[in-house]
Amino acid sequence: GAMDADWVDRLERRFGFLSAPGLPGFLTGMTAVCGLLGSVKPEFTSVLDLDPSALVRGQVWRAVTFLFVPPPVTALGLLLWVLLLYALLQALETSWGEFKLTVFLALGSIASVLGSLAVWTPFEGPFVITLSAFLAFARLMPDRELLVMFVLPVKLRWLAALTALWVGLKFATTDMPGRVQLLAGLLPYLVYFGPGHWRELRSAL
């Protein structure tokens, strides 16, 4: 289940100094702040969203700030989202180091920005990039258990299979911009783990 990322190792030897330290804490903290401000003033997050028309008008911060927009949830939902996000990113950083996590998130962000511009449609928040991070976590630690609804211990491999099924159904039923958003957000996972999946598939056939 390890990632196929020799090229990331080569990049790290050359550009390791470009890694962003403390990404889990920073991203989670900004998400919490944006969630709280958005609950007081709902229009606040519309200034952060990935909106291509605003982007080309010079609001370039949106290329980064859309990563801080939490899904539309209740206060309890926001707390759970922030805790899950932190646990996920922290586990990936511990497993990979700062540089590989930085590249992973940067791939998802850049692909989302380009995808949003290509289909000229706003993309809401980093939900699919977070899904990508979850799938990566499950691929690295398939036998770790997560308490679903705080009571039911389920192995990550099964949760990842359900997530993949949901992605497949969503891809089949959504429109073109929706498909582009899914592919852009999942790109980092496909780049890091796609070759391994492909090899497993070929040996299974």
Side-chain angles (χ1 to χ4, degrees), residues 13-158:
R13 284 194 289 275
R14 199 165 291 180
F15 300 108
F17 62 90
L18 291 175
S19 62
L23 263 180
F26 175 70
L27 272 176
T28 310
M30 293 302 281
T31 301
V33 168
C34 291
L36 291 170
L37 287 173
S39 64
V40 178
K41 217 174 166 178
E43 64 274 18
F44 172 71
T45 51
S46 66
V47 185
L48 310 175
D49 276 342
L50 186 48
D51 180 347
S53 56
L55 207 58
V56 297
R57 284 202 309 272
Q59 297 182 4
V60 287
W61 64 81
R62 291 173 181 268
V64 173
T65 56
F66 84 98
L67 289 171
F68 311 146
V69 179
V73 285
T74 59
L76 178 64
L78 177 66
L79 177 67
L80 293 176
W81 175 259
V82 163
L83 289 174
L84 181 69
L85 187 65
Y86 184 75
L88 263 185
L89 295 176
Q90 192 59 52
L92 291 178
E93 188 179 79
T94 303
S95 182
W96 283 341
E98 289 171 354
F99 185 78
K100 286 190 180 78
L101 179 63
T102 304
V103 171
F104 187 88
L105 293 173
L107 278 172
S109 309
I110 293 164
S112 297
V113 170
L114 294 176
S116 173
L117 288 166
V119 292
W120 204 248
T121 306
F123 285 177
E124 75 281 356
F127 181 68
V128 189
I129 299 174
T130 310
L131 267 191
S132 224
F134 172 72
L135 288 170
F137 179 49
R139 181 81 171 152
L140 291 167
M141 302 162 207
D143 293 317
R144 278 279 289 273
E145 289 182 340
L146 199 67
L147 285 179
V148 175
M149 303 292 178
F150 301 107
V151 282
L152 194 65
V154 181
K155 284 195 172 169
L156 285 179
R157 67 170 80 243
W158 300 117

